[in-house]
Amino acid sequence: MRIQDDIKLDFDDVLIKPKRSTLVSRKKANLERTFKFKHSHHRWTGIPIIASNMDHTGTIAMAHVLMEFPMLTALCKFVESTEWGWNNNIIRTIGLDQNLDELTDDSMWICLDVANGYTERFNDYVALMRRHAATKDRIIIAGNVCTPEATEQILLAGADIVKIGIGPGSVCTTRKMTGVGYPQLSATMECGDAAHGLGGHIITDGGCTVVGDIAKSFGGGADFVMLGGMLAGHKECEGEIEDDKMIFYGMSSTEAQIKHHGGKKSHRASEGKAVMIDYRGNVADTVQEILGGLRSSCTYAGAKSIKDLPKCTTFVKVNRQLNTVFN
Ligand code: 5GP
């Protein structure tokens, strides 16, 4: 047993220090980025925020709205494949049980999503995807992990982008059920640094509860930010509305296991929970709020664009939880 005693940070542990800005108006802050990916060599330009591939947020209706901004949607892997093939802001999600020969759609992006990206089987599968005719030329996202060594390994196996986050999700109970996890801002900073050194990219996935957390993710070196809870509860989530509330559940919650696998397997614990959240109407209104907040973050930090945020960001550690400060 070993204790690593340098302190790791979550979003609530820091604030971004304000700095002199040359921007004349926050409208001028550029939220778009252009990336060229390590293995596929594809280029993509857009606002690098992604709706999570959960039942509730990874819907076709969500993708239709977000592509207008233009932002990305990782469709839930249970969305019917016949509904595919209409633009390059679709990310298709697969699991380790996917037969790659059956991937005949033309989506440019593919996301191999597993709860634990530390297995040899997962790493071998990423390498297989980079060799396989159906996937070798696509932008491959793979995750989740939360440490720089694993990030490097997955990039070297063939992924263009590594998804970072073990345990921070709003409806995730992994930290409670298993004791495993890593504070998400430190994971972002450490994995981003490792990925960028190899010409790869990262997605920070999970734990953003307010716009400031998204700004801190970009400031900490995230290339993309994936959102579940912040985009939940909208019309586009296609859930039932009861008493002005919608159910939002984790993808390994008992609810999801019953819906997609006919019940909870006896050897598995549930590592997700279900919560009732307020219905919030059109997601476009929430997205406008998010983008407005991010423009303001850039202006305060003295950054002309979110691309410049990491070099303009100085984090100051705070000595009490922001929740306490806000309430
Ligand atoms: P949020 O933005 O809601 O904080 O986090 C969304 C992320 O939580 C998802 O993209 C996914 O990585 C993770 N997640 C979703 N459902 C579950 C679950 O049931 N268990 C765990 N451990 N993580 C989940």
Side-chain angles (χ1 to χ4, degrees), residues 52 54 144 169-170 172 174 205-207 226-229 250-253 271-272:
S52 167
M54 300 170 76
N144 280 26
S170 57
C172 161
T174 296
D205 174 22
M226 181 171 268
L227 302 176
M251 293 307 286
S252 46
S253 63
E271 284 181 35

Side-chain angles (χ1 to χ4, degrees), residues 102-122:
E102 287 171 4
L103 286 180
T104 52
D105 65 87
D106 54 4
S107 58
M108 185 164 89
W109 302 77
I110 194 137
C111 175
L112 176 67
D113 191 39
V114 300
N116 174 4
Y118 283 83
T119 63
E120 264 182 42
R121 185 175 167 221
F122 171 78

Side-chain angles (χ1 to χ4, degrees), residues 62 65-66 69 71 231 234 282-292:
M62 182 69 77
V65 175
L66 296 199
F69 283 89
M71 286 162 44
L231 297 177
H234 293 96
N282 294 326
V283 76
D285 297 335
T286 299
V287 171
Q288 296 287 8
E289 282 288 303
I290 291 174
L291 302 186

